[in-house]
Amino acid sequence: TGLAKCCKDRQPNTAPSRRKARWVKGFYTGMADAHRKGGNMLVQTIMSRRVVALEMDDSLAEAEALFSAAPFHHALVMDEGHLVGVISDRDIWRALSPYLGSQSENQRDRDTLARRVHQVMSRQVITVTPQASLEAAAALLLEHGISCLPVVEQERVVGILTWRDLLRALLPGIYPGRD
């Protein structure tokens, strides 16, 4: 590919850690500069307001069908209107048998589709408010090793922020669409 060719022709970097440190410093400095210049670098400016929710007792078959039909990677799990968990497409695919749809599929494999969302969801939900800074949100994602943050205001879910949203905010114009 073009990237592989570009990297192959490049001279080895003699100080990779220093270059990376400057870039990271520049990233945070750039966001701070945007704040000083009146830029609005808050979660509410880039979060997705369209949130997909599942119920705790939905089956993994229902959840898998939902993820397969739409271009998103996280769903919030609700119980009587309250946020109780988060489930990702990766959580579902890890919980399903790898033999589903294959020649060697058996009843035990099909039974994994009957498992419930509450059996595989993440229960320790880390949330953020719409007024939180993007820096604070990015720090939460990294600190907890998670890929999304439900956005909650007065105990009500108002959106979701993913690591992809943060990258799009950093690189506007390169990939403006949602996946």
Side-chain angles (χ1 to χ4, degrees):
T1 65
L3 180 61
K5 182 180 180 207
C6 171
C7 293
K8 183 176 73 173
D9 297 339
R10 210 171 145 214
Q11 294 297 320
N13 189 351
T14 57
S17 60
R18 285 182 44 193
R19 289 187 90 168
K20 186 175 182 180
R22 279 196 301 262
W23 186 85
V24 171
K25 182 179 178 191
F27 165 72
Y28 284 108
T29 302
M31 294 185 100
D33 288 344
H35 267 297
R36 282 194 292 277
K37 294 176 185 174
N40 196 6
M41 301 303 286
L42 302 178
V43 167
Q44 65 190 3
T45 61
I46 67 167
M47 70 181 191
S48 176
R49 286 176 168 69
R50 294 185 337 176
V51 177
V52 175
L54 293 165
E55 294 292 322
M56 286 184 59
D57 287 326
D58 286 343
S59 70
L60 291 188
E62 294 169 311
E64 194 273 334
L66 185 67
F67 279 109
S68 294
F72 56 85
H73 302 280
H74 303 90
L76 304 184
V77 182
M78 309 295 281
D79 186 32
E80 297 179 9
H82 294 93
L83 177 64
V84 293
V86 174
I87 192 165
S88 72
D89 55 354
R90 289 169 297 191
D91 296 330
I92 292 169
W93 285 301
R94 271 194 302 262
L96 294 177
S97 170
Y99 298 107
L100 284 172
S102 72
Q103 294 280 341
S104 56
E105 175 183 307
N106 61 36
Q107 186 56 45
R108 189 174 71 198
D109 300 319
R110 288 185 290 277
D111 289 344
T112 62
L113 289 168
R115 292 181 69 191
R116 300 297 169 191
V117 166
H118 70 85
Q119 294 176 301
V120 298
M121 71 181 191
S122 299
R123 293 179 182 272
Q124 295 179 343
V125 182
I126 310 298
T127 64
V128 69
T129 66
Q131 296 76 29
S133 70
L134 294 185
E135 293 94 342
L140 283 172
L141 290 172
L142 290 172
E143 178 183 339
H144 296 282
I146 55 179
S147 55
C148 77
L149 291 166
V151 183
V152 177
E153 188 169 43
Q154 297 175 1
E155 297 185 30
R156 190 174 70 91
V157 175
V158 295
I160 189 167
L161 180 75
T162 68
W163 64 271
R164 285 178 176 86
D165 297 327
L166 287 169
L167 287 176
R168 283 188 196 102
L170 272 175
L171 306 169
I174 292 176
Y175 189 73
R178 294 200 56 86
D179 64 344

